[in-house]
Amino acid sequence: MTAATHGPDRSQDAAAELAFSQAIHALSDDDFAGPSLLPGWSRATLIAHVSGNAQAFARAIAGATSGGDTRMYDSREQRNAQIEEYARLHPAELRALSDASAASLVEAWDGLTPEQWSLSFTNGQGNPMPLAGTVKGRTREVWVHLVDLDAGPTFADVPANVTDAVLREVWASWAARGADAELAISTQAADSAPLTLGAAETPGVTLVTGSLAAVAGWATGRTREGVTAASASGPTPLPAAPEWI
């Protein structure tokens, strides 16, 4: 997969797609039935979701460029039904579907003119975004779900700028609904500068500390390794991270 000479830089998505494809081809057929890091989702369900996500982005791009429906999904019910359908495929068929779906999205990107990248589509949360946002969205999606496969790669293998963006997105989601109350995070940004999210010095706040990769793992609800928590009175048990999405 190669990026076109115009539009957003797609190199990190290409790396993510390659790593994801290699990971699912390295899994045995029996491994597909094993659990992913997403509660209640098998690896097959996760791969089905990633496949459907690529198709949804390609569908939204087609709608935006033709003046049609720009939604990624018709409804949450349609999305969930598609995931269930794909998850029932034989592992060999699901591997092929995953690779083909990713390739179809690359083909959709390759067909965009420089001007069309600014056209609007409707993302999975129902919000309008420029088509350039499909690259960033897909890149984060694949890297995070590569970790979720629980097949070796962790957030330490994800590009730091992607992990940084994911962590800030999680924090913004918490803040939007007040779930960040009594929490703060201390880590380092992608550029290694200190990064603090929340009012770390406020009495009653629990400060969660760790490397960028470790904190992202905790904040997204994937792992609890490599992070510690403390309050004004000293070390404290690590709390469960609030729901992200």
Side-chain angles (χ1 to χ4, degrees), residues 101-209:
S101 299
S104 71
L105 177 56
V106 171
E107 183 177 358
W109 282 333
D110 285 344
L112 292 173
T113 66
E115 295 74 24
Q116 286 175 324
W117 285 100
S118 61
L119 294 175
S120 181
F121 80 103
T122 305
N123 70 10
Q125 288 72 49
N127 301 317
M129 294 184 65
L131 289 183
T134 62
V135 176
K136 182 182 294 185
R138 178 65 180 176
T139 300
R140 293 185 194 176
E141 186 85 10
V142 181
W143 278 118
V144 170
H145 289 322
L146 173 66
V147 174
D148 288 335
L149 281 175
D150 195 21
T154 68
F155 272 107
D157 300 297
V158 177
N161 67 308
V162 175
T163 305
D164 185 311
V166 168
L167 179 60
R168 292 174 194 266
E169 181 179 311
V170 171
W171 186 266
S173 173
W174 293 350
R177 61 182 194 277
D180 62 327
E182 301 181 356
L183 276 177
I185 288 173
S186 177
T187 185
Q188 66 287 317
D191 61 2
S192 298
L195 173 62
T196 301
L197 299 171
E201 303 300 325
T202 301
V205 164
T206 297
L207 178 64
V208 176
T209 304

Side-chain angles (χ1 to χ4, degrees), residues 214-231:
V215 168
W218 167 79
T220 57
R222 271 58 178 182
T223 70
R224 296 169 63 88
E225 297 177 2
V227 289
T228 58
S231 64

